[in-house]
Amino acid sequence: MKRSSGVRLCATAAVSVLSLALITGCSDGGSKDSGDGKGGESAAKALSAAELKQLIIAKGEVPGYKVGPVEGGIPDKTKVKSDDAQCDPVLRALTGIAPGEPAANTSRMATEDKKDPTDKATSLDDLADGKFEDALNESMDLDVTVVTLASYDGDGAESALKSVTDAVKSCSGGFSGEQDGEKGKFTKVAEEKSSGTGDESVAFTATNDSGKDGALPLHAEVVRHGNTLATYTTINIGAMMTKKAYTVSAPVIKAQAAKLK
């Protein structure tokens, strides 16, 4: 079954963990003490990749979720681009790419741990008369969140976050994009209420509602913790197919924010 190119464009990394055929820092002491959120960051030194790996969520740290490597990896930044350069920060955030020019970054994937409803079936007959499709949708009704931590020198984190915030506003009417030669289109981008964690943040939804499947939303949030940015991208295929509302996984943000305090 071939789904919307917009979803395939930005969800490849997050969805690969499902094995479906549906679609193919914590700042240092100086920056924490800066009351205005500016002076400390200007002199901040980026964390190393090793330090970020100690700070990113790990196995057993997010209740109700399995945490591990991003299956398929994060796409190459140079192969993810929009038809309008000002929309690149939005498209890249949706694919788990850290905004701006970080000195170091690392990523993990958190997959909601739900029992497969088809486990209760003893034969195909148990899932006859449309029940199989319902069970399949239910089995896919789980959040898959890619988390990327990135650290920046000086005020790089502030500038990178601003680029995403500006892009969300500038690209509200939608945009087309490309990932590894796969093209797709988002018809609108809308800012959402953020989690309120960190020093500042922006949350948004990018939606493709131009295909036969109707509105297909992807959710993302970027949060600044001193000179470190946490980028969260969540997709829920089951919710998309049944038109059920979902957001960036709150338990994942909570667990990650706790490690960045």
Side-chain angles (χ1 to χ4, degrees):
M1 289 179 283
K2 188 174 183 180
R3 295 294 180 184
S4 164
S5 58
V7 175
R8 293 198 308 277
L9 173 64
C10 290
T12 302
V15 177
S16 62
V17 71
L18 302 178
S19 299
L20 299 174
L22 289 175
I23 60 175
T24 143
C26 182
S27 58
D28 60 18
S31 58
K32 279 185 178 179
D33 293 339
S34 60
D36 60 6
K38 282 256 184 182
E41 269 75 53
S42 64
K45 181 175 176 56
L47 299 174
S48 67
E51 289 173 312
L52 289 177
K53 287 180 179 179
Q54 292 299 313
L55 289 171
I56 198 166
I57 53 171
K59 182 179 179 180
E61 294 182 344
V62 186
Y65 287 75
K66 297 177 181 178
V67 179
V70 179
E71 296 196 15
I74 299 298
D76 185 326
K77 176 180 178 179
T78 63
K79 296 181 180 180
V80 177
K81 56 186 178 181
S82 69
D83 57 350
D84 185 340
Q86 67 180 347
C87 299
D88 282 349
V90 164
L91 182 58
R92 288 172 178 169
L94 290 170
T95 56
I97 298 173
E101 299 296 335
N105 63 87
T106 189
S107 302
R108 291 272 168 79
M109 177 181 285
T111 304
E112 194 172 5
D113 192 7
K114 286 187 176 181
K115 182 177 177 60
D116 187 343
T118 61
D119 287 347
K120 300 176 183 179
T122 57
S123 71
L124 290 178
D125 291 338
D126 294 329
L127 296 175
D129 300 324
K131 292 183 179 179
F132 178 79
E133 183 175 355
D134 291 341
L136 182 60
N137 285 335
E138 186 178 348
S139 71
M140 294 185 293
D141 183 11
L142 49 81
D143 290 347
V144 179
T145 301
V146 173
V147 181
T148 295
L149 291 190
S151 191
Y152 303 74
D153 287 314
D155 62 358
E158 290 177 304
S159 297
L161 179 59
K162 184 177 185 301
S163 73
V164 179
T165 302
D166 290 346
V168 170
K169 296 176 181 178
S170 299
C171 304
S172 61
F175 63 93
S176 296
E178 180 177 339
Q179 176 184 323
D180 289 328
E182 184 77 29
K183 296 182 179 181
K185 182 179 181 179
F186 289 101
T187 52
K188 61 181 177 180
V189 178
E191 186 170 356
E192 295 185 311
K193 182 178 180 180
S194 67
S195 61
T197 58
D199 300 311
E200 55 180 335
S201 59
V202 62
F204 64 92
T205 300
T207 304
N208 179 342
D209 58 11
S210 60
K212 63 181 179 63
D213 294 315
L216 299 173
L218 291 173
H219 300 274
E221 181 169 348
V222 183
V223 184
R224 182 175 69 82
H225 297 263
N227 64 326
T228 294
L229 291 185
T231 299
Y232 305 91
T233 305
T234 298
I235 186 171
N236 184 316
I237 299 301
M240 281 184 175
M241 295 300 101
T242 58
K243 308 307 176 186
K244 174 184 173 182
Y246 75 101
T247 62
V248 174
S249 304
V252 177
I253 293 181
K254 181 179 179 180
Q256 184 59 77
K259 295 194 71 172
L260 291 172
K261 286 183 178 179

